Amino acid sequence: MRGRIALVVLSAALYALAFPPWYLWPLAWVALVPFLRAIAGVTPGRAALLGLVWGCTAVWAVASWVAPAISFYYQQPWWFGVAFCVVACQVLWGSQYALFGAWAGWLAARTPAARRPVVLAALWVACELARARLVIGEPWLLLGYSLTDHPLLIQAADVGGVYLLSFVVVFVNATIASFLEGDRPFVRTAAPALVVVALLVAYGSYRLATPPAAERTVTVRVVQGNNPLRTQWRREHYGEGLERYLAMSRTPSRPPPQLLVWPESAVTFFLDEEPEYRAHVARMLHALDSELVVGGPARRTVEDGRTRSFNSAFLLDGGGTVRGRYDKRRLLPFAEYFPLRFLTFLRRHFDAVRDFAPGDTPLFLETRAGHAAVVICFEAIFPELVTARARQGAELLINLSNDVWLAGAGPAQHLQMVVLRAVENRLWVLRATTTGISAAIDPLGRIRTRTEPGTAVTFDASIGPTNVTTIYERVGDAFAFACLAATALVAGALRRRTRSTGTTFHGLPR
């Protein structure tokens, strides 16, 4: 068993190395091979245990920055962040891959070698879908995201999203694992995988050669103020940092920007309640003949008389008028709301920072750059949220984020996932963050401009609003659900066959 655990740990390490901060993406094509070999030939119970180890090890390797970030955010000792992550990794990662391990061993032992790679790839996608949709939903760095630095390989996301990319990568991994079993010639084993990868490359080449056309070009400016964390969400720093954003926004350019974008938490006051602060912003916008999308807090009194706070994006014009507002709808548990209210020692720290309610405002801001869909912070890692807005006519995606507390590789990993939202919906994406990484991403998933983290910087970009209906926009995650359904059908058929023949599980031959 020790040898199998060593293979599992090796596989998890290879998986992590395919992502930031290492960016060794070719390893994704072989990262799962040791894991698949480890679960071969063992009972479903042991395979489930190995899957649990893989999931927990992989999440720690990928997101080692989370534990110190949690401790810092809640103002708790280091061991609290570790304990929090130990529990979370078992619930959000370990359980799904334990399920994969158990079912992979059971299905693979009953599936002909020629069909095994497609069965395992479909099962992996089904488990990724479960991770993204069940409990609180945690789709951080699904396997397909390892390809996002290479536009040629990600264009098929406009058909099946990140899950289609994951399927192809797992199919290759499973093919290699099947070949290592030694019971089939290399050509017969590898041919289907080579065809699948060739189709992925061919489709990517076609899409890169035929980019979506835009009817007009708009100049936009993204401002990354790099304000220190102490100025955010603290009453004693109410309004602090505005002058920095105003000064950076005034940078002369030809042509001047038609739209400015400031990130989440750029302003630390209630913008729609502060006419004096808005007047300062309006003078800057009037001088530039521009308008502004900016992230900040909002509040309103609801029916029961309570005041509810919101994490919002505002659209301001040169007259200082708030012409639109989007309140974040999908909130981050344990960061924007705290479900375990009985833990008073944490609630005091949490409530001192922020406690938001989900919004119900319109999804779009009508900007000079077009019909802009706004997603705030981690909303952008949920493809179904973005696609639903693209389906309603979005011409541009604006992602406002505050990644200062992520630290380490977190901001780069966050950006890597946002790239696929551009490809899936063939939209320009403007990403504005408080401390980096901010970026402009074209509809082919190419990062045209990106900033360095921890810097105060401004950049201009010329973008072309588009309104292209993709297959993914029409059908959403149908491919992933099809993998789930196919896995269930295959499992059901094999189970009936096993009962009728009276066979028992002996494991997958090594």
Side-chain angles (χ1 to χ4, degrees), residues 50 113 157 223 237 250 258 393 463:
L50 292 170
V223 183
H237 298 293
R250 294 189 187 103
Q258 296 167 265
I463 68 170

Side-chain angles (χ1 to χ4, degrees), residues 253-301:
S253 66
R254 288 290 182 270
Q258 296 167 265
L259 175 67
L260 288 106
V261 183
W262 295 359
E264 178 190 19
S265 307
V267 298
T268 56
F269 54 87
F270 293 100
L271 188 67
D272 50 356
E273 300 177 16
E274 297 286 358
E276 184 177 347
Y277 285 151
R278 282 206 314 275
H280 288 291
V281 177
R283 284 192 287 271
M284 179 271 296
L285 293 175
H286 181 74
L288 291 174
D289 187 23
S290 185
E291 58 186 12
L292 169 69
V293 173
V294 54
R299 62 188 175 189
R300 73 170 183 260
T301 302

Side-chain angles (χ1 to χ4, degrees), residues 199-436:
L199 289 173
L200 186 74
V201 171
Y203 186 80
S205 300
Y206 166 71
R207 284 300 183 194
L208 290 175
T210 57
E215 295 182 357
R216 58 195 177 94
T217 300
V218 179
T219 301
V220 297
R221 174 170 296 169
V222 174
V223 183
Q224 178 179 300
N226 198 40
N227 286 354
L229 185 63
R230 66 176 179 81
T231 68
Q232 298 171 22
W233 308 103
R234 297 288 188 88
R235 178 153 293 279
E236 62 266 31
H237 298 293
Y238 189 83
E240 192 171 322
L242 176 61
E243 187 54 45
R244 171 180 290 190
Y245 274 94
L246 291 173
M248 294 176 67
S249 298
R250 294 189 187 103
T251 304
S253 66
R254 288 290 182 270
Q258 296 167 265
L259 175 67
L260 288 106
V261 183
W262 295 359
E264 178 190 19
S265 307
V267 298
T268 56
F269 54 87
F270 293 100
L271 188 67
D272 50 356
E273 300 177 16
E274 297 286 358
E276 184 177 347
Y277 285 151
R278 282 206 314 275
H280 288 291
V281 177
R283 284 192 287 271
M284 179 271 296
L285 293 175
H286 181 74
L288 291 174
D289 187 23
S290 185
E291 58 186 12
L292 169 69
V293 173
V294 54
R299 62 188 175 189
R300 73 170 183 260
T301 302
V302 295
E303 292 77 7
D304 59 6
R306 292 183 301 164
T307 298
R308 306 301 300 270
S309 297
F310 302 91
N311 190 359
S312 304
F314 300 87
L315 175 64
L316 272 73
D317 62 19
T321 302
V322 177
R323 294 203 294 108
R325 191 180 102 195
Y326 166 72
D327 296 335
K328 186 176 182 182
R329 297 196 172 194
R330 182 148 190 170
L331 301 175
L332 181 61
F334 303 103
E336 292 174 314
Y337 74 95
F338 196 65
L340 306 178
R341 307 297 294 178
F342 60 89
L343 297 179
T344 56
F345 76 101
L346 286 178
R347 191 177 67 195
R348 288 195 301 273
H349 290 301
F350 183 84
D351 288 347
V353 180
R354 48 182 164 173
D355 188 9
F356 294 129
D360 57 5
T361 54
L363 296 174
F364 298 99
L365 299 177
E366 299 296 339
T367 73
R368 292 183 185 177
H371 204 45
V374 179
V375 286
I376 297 178
C377 199
F378 100 131
E379 284 185 317
I381 74 173
F382 293 94
E384 66 273 16
L385 296 184
V386 177
T387 300
R389 299 173 193 188
R391 199 176 291 129
Q392 295 178 38
E395 299 174 301
L396 166 70
L397 179 65
I398 297 177
N399 175 216
L400 309 183
S401 192
N402 177 13
D403 286 353
V404 61
W405 70 281
L406 298 185
Q413 293 175 358
H414 200 175
L415 173 64
Q416 194 163 27
M417 291 179 284
V418 174
V419 167
L420 275 198
R421 305 296 86 83
V423 180
E424 289 160 352
N425 305 286
R426 298 302 174 191
L427 294 174
W428 273 92
V429 177
L430 292 176
R431 176 167 162 80
T433 68
T434 49
T435 57

